[in-house]
Amino acid sequence: MLTNYHTHSMFCDGEMMPEDYVKSAIEKGFKALGFSGHAPLNFETSWATSEDNFQKYIETIIYLKEKYKDIIQIYLGVETDYYPDCKDLRVMPEIDYTIGAIHFIYDANTGREFAFDGSGKQFLETRDVVFKGNIRLMVETYYNMIIEMITNQTPDILAHLDILKKNNAGSCFFDESEPWYKNIVEKTLVKVKEHNIIAEINTGGISRGYTTEIYPSFWIISLMREMDIPIILNSDAHHPDWIDTYYTEAEKILALAGYKSQRILLDGKWQDVPL
Ligand SMILES: [Zn+2]
Ligand SMILES: [Zn+2]
């Protein structure tokens, strides 16, 4: 059953309008499509939905939900960031689900936000300015922020767990097999399990040419399987053509790790369906 709940349109940093994604999903035989525009932030960015556009985003998805209800299930989600004083969008009755992510950190010394998953240049800037060159501190801080988000503002889905590896091709900055890295990932998964949230299998880095691998890494998926953590396969699509990018390959990887089902929003409720 084809589905995707991680979709970015022109309302944030995606290309094309939401309806173009709906048409693509119908063409590809999708059962459900969820939109997850980046939530408005308290500072200027090129990638988040602006405060002005947010209401329009919500209205557009609700309109599409109704328009296409006999052909495909449409859901209104939001990809939320967690930072000091961020709004809790889970209380909005129109919102069907949240995908929680950590994309940046606020640095009090410079009074600026620094990206965790930006370009290679931004990655180095974050390491050097915020963490004084200490890559381990940067990585551990990222995971500890995820833990804090899950504790204080539990999302339905945890986005792209190890997105930091986007800039770590060939383990150029850190080695995923080092005990400290394994420990912090495991600690994060314990929190995911404790709060019974869904871990995302995200193919978006591949369609955008950032990585050759899905998030998270195979050893993490295997560990998640051992811990019986539910998963959801998402494409993090920024273009209508990419709503199912790398799905066939990802399904093989999931089968290899022992996953037989995924947890998705269907007929208005979360349910486990075969992969
Ligand atoms: Zn994201
Ligand atoms: Zn996203």
Side-chain angles (χ1 to χ4, degrees):
M1 185 189 300
L2 281 167
T3 56
N4 173 44
Y5 299 83
H6 198 148
T7 311
H8 297 285
S9 71
M10 273 169 78
F11 280 104
C12 52
D13 58 348
E15 291 173 59
M16 317 278 275
M17 289 304 285
E19 192 158 7
D20 299 314
Y21 290 81
V22 175
K23 285 177 181 162
S24 171
I26 293 168
E27 220 168 88
K28 288 174 188 279
F30 271 50
K31 179 90 180 161
L33 179 69
F35 287 89
S36 59
H38 287 289
L41 303 171
N42 63 353
F43 64 101
E44 279 293 309
T45 66
S46 57
W47 52 270
T49 312
S50 69
E51 199 68 66
D52 290 349
N53 265 338
F54 194 53
Q55 199 51 43
K56 224 181 291 168
Y57 163 70
I58 290 173
E59 283 162 16
T60 303
I61 308 305
I62 290 174
Y63 162 77
L64 293 173
K65 217 186 233 204
E66 184 57 28
K67 181 173 174 182
Y68 290 95
K69 68 168 190 247
D70 296 330
I71 310 171
I72 187 171
Q73 297 182 29
I74 307 283
Y75 291 100
L76 169 58
V78 63
E79 184 174 10
T80 54
D81 263 276
Y82 184 75
Y83 52 95
D85 302 322
C86 62
K87 276 192 197 153
D88 186 353
L89 298 179
R90 298 172 308 170
V91 298
M92 292 182 72
E94 312 93 303
I95 305 263
D96 295 316
Y97 64 95
T98 59
I99 303 181
I102 300 291
H103 296 108
F104 64 87
I105 182 167
Y106 174 74
D107 175 55
N109 287 327
T110 49
R112 268 183 55 199
E113 286 78 15
F114 287 81
F116 277 120
D117 68 325
S119 64
K121 192 171 162 248
Q122 287 173 315
F123 185 89
L124 284 176
E125 199 189 15
T126 307
R127 182 196 66 177
D128 295 341
V129 177
V130 185
F131 300 100
K132 311 285 177 268
N134 187 336
I135 186 69
R136 177 173 168 178
L137 183 62
M138 175 172 165
V139 173
E140 287 179 335
T141 302
Y142 165 77
Y143 283 104
N144 281 321
M145 285 172 74
I146 293 181
I147 290 170
E148 213 182 305
M149 170 179 73
I150 296 173
T151 308
N152 298 332
Q153 211 174 92
T154 319
D156 296 297
I157 300 166
L158 172 62
H160 42 62
L161 180 91
D162 63 351
I163 198 165
L164 281 180
K165 79 173 180 189
K166 175 176 161 181
N167 284 299
N168 193 42
S171 305
C172 54
F173 293 113
F174 59 93
D175 183 347
E176 288 190 37
S177 65
E178 280 188 66
W180 68 264
Y181 186 76
K182 289 195 162 230
N183 282 344
I184 193 68
V185 168
E186 215 173 309
K187 201 175 141 197
T188 310
L189 293 183
V190 167
K191 199 45 89 174
V192 169
K193 178 72 188 166
E194 202 180 295
H195 287 261
N196 195 29
I197 63 173
I198 306 165
E200 181 182 62
I201 308 300
N202 184 310
T203 64
I206 297 165
S207 50
R208 300 176 90 191
Y210 296 148
T211 62
T212 52
E213 273 184 43
I214 57 172
Y215 307 119
S217 293
F218 183 73
W219 70 268
I220 300 176
I221 299 175
S222 302
L223 189 54
M224 282 171 10
R225 179 65 286 243
E226 258 172 56
M227 294 169 75
D228 202 19
I229 289 172
I231 50 153
I232 186 166
L233 177 58
N234 279 334
S235 58
D236 202 344
H238 286 68
H239 188 285
D241 291 348
W242 301 342
I243 55 172
D244 59 351
T245 296
Y246 211 69
Y247 267 19
T248 314
E249 295 85 344
E251 278 164 12
K252 281 184 197 147
I253 294 168
L254 291 173
L256 214 59
Y259 271 106
K260 293 187 172 63
S261 66
Q262 63 166 332
R263 186 164 296 175
I264 58 168
L265 191 51
L266 206 63
D267 303 325
K269 56 179 190 291
W270 294 102
Q271 33 187 312
D272 293 330
V273 299
L275 271 163

